[in-house]
Amino acid sequence: EHAQTGGVSSARAIEHRAMSIQFKVPGDEGVYIPNEFLDSLMQPDVIKNALCKHFFEGNRDLMEKYWKTLKERELREFFRLHFGKTVEKEERPFTFVVYGASGYTGSLVLEYIYKHVRGLGSEVTFALAGRTPSKLSDRLDEMLAKFPDATYRPEIFKADISNSMDIRKMVQKCRCVLNVAGPFIKTNAHLLVEACIDFECDYVDVNGEVPFTHKLIPLHDWAKKRNVIICPNSAGAGGLPDLAAFFTAEELKKVTDAELKTLRCFITSNGGAPSGGTLATRAAMTAEMGKFVKIMGDPFALGGTVGDGKRPEDSDKVLAKVEYFPEFDGWSGPFTYAFYDTRLIRRSNWLLADLGEDPYGRHLNYSEHLLFPSEQVAKEVTSANTSSKKEEEKLKKEGKLFGLGDGLAEDVRSKLFIDYYFHATAEDGSKIRTKISGGDGYDETARFAVEMTMLLTTKREELPFIGGVLTPAVAGGKMFVDAVKATGVTFEVLDDDHKVDFSRIERVV
């Protein structure tokens, strides 16, 4: 390459080499192959910096003077070492890497790992990565103080997903990346996902952002081809109702062969409060709303469109209704995360069909609401819904406005619960009702994120599918139900006359 450039400067020659590289995989015609991550690696400045560090000990003057003396063999080895896949998946040093664990959610993820993951240090190894290793070390010390008998201390290394070389280094250290660093739409998390697919590393995150998950959908076919599972949304918000809907659909199959027609979800809870990170994500989403208004307003933004996508019963207007539901003798009210959960469950329905399984139902209609004991209470809560700014003012007044890295204390979270009640109706009129119960949303996020990561790294060959941009329910299936059930989530089929015990709903926060 440099023999053909003649007297062209090193920067120009490197740029020529970078721009001349093309990637094509035989047999993948018609599949969208993302190149943004690879393009970011092939930037002239990135290559120059790597050349300088590798051959000239970081001395730019020496590189400018002598780089043309490098042999083709040396350059090939350099590119393979610094830009190619050099470590096969089964030979990577860590089972998984947690990225961005210095915050509140990260601390709960660490606590869950030490409390529930068996074989740490022998069968399972993990590392922590982030922009500021000292913060990770402090968070780890804080966590290990709770587990004095713990003997495994994970390696901590610096990585910033705004740096493509850091991304490459991270994904080649493990079989799965667990990303807990939001707001996701404001980071280069999509490049991390691309890198995971390119370097055959599974991916899990806890995002609850429709625009970010929407951004990953074009990578679905490429991930399938590469046998890489990308599982965003493995959290209390999104992931728990997604798996609950899957469980309900599976139980309905025991009653009838007919497809699922309608699935009504009603939620009761005794409170909670957003962490500082959640508030930051909401603020970021509000600031970027102009870019995403079309995506946010599309009930089928993540797939699963039924018909022309314009059925009245699928409209978001339904989610704001206050009306009586005799199935559970209660009144509906809007639930903030319904505008996210509904999209995810519709995607699960579509994915099952795309991957060769039976969908829940080809004409499925899914809705989700809070449930209240009376019309008056439902209307009062609905009218109390307000802007993010007013919500923060209210939280501050109540002493619950948390900063980044902070959230509810463990003794408060331990008293919280959330119940999902489902009423499922099949095309032939058969019906079933279920109840799925969990704890505080942030604790459920830690549970769902870690258990999904463990399935992908320790029971990969037993999972129903081997690749794609999947939802938690589709990626984990019945095995995921069993995994979260083993550590505290309850799943039950209800009697036809079951009534909700509204006396349990007391705000303790």
Side-chain angles (χ1 to χ4, degrees), residues 21-25 32-43 191 194 198 219 222:
I21 295 176
Q22 295 183 349
F23 300 91
K24 184 172 178 61
V25 181
Y32 169 72
I33 302 176
N35 287 319
E36 190 176 351
F37 171 69
L38 292 176
D39 288 346
S40 68
L41 280 180
M42 294 292 103
Q43 293 299 312
L191 293 188
E194 279 192 24
D198 286 332
L219 309 181
W222 183 230

Side-chain angles (χ1 to χ4, degrees), residues 258-278:
E259 291 188 355
L260 182 56
K261 181 180 181 180
T262 61
L263 188 58
R264 304 276 178 263
C265 176
F266 302 98
I267 301 160
T268 61
S269 175
N270 63 340
S275 70
T278 297

Side-chain angles (χ1 to χ4, degrees), residues 1-2 4-20 42 44-45 47-48 63-64 67-68:
E1 182 73 27
H2 57 75
Q4 298 173 359
T5 61
V8 179
S9 69
S10 61
R12 184 77 177 276
I14 292 170
E15 183 175 7
H16 175 72
R17 172 179 282 254
M19 293 179 65
S20 68
M42 294 292 103
D45 286 346
I47 298 175
K48 282 184 70 175
M63 187 186 80
E64 293 290 340
W67 86 280
K68 290 183 181 180

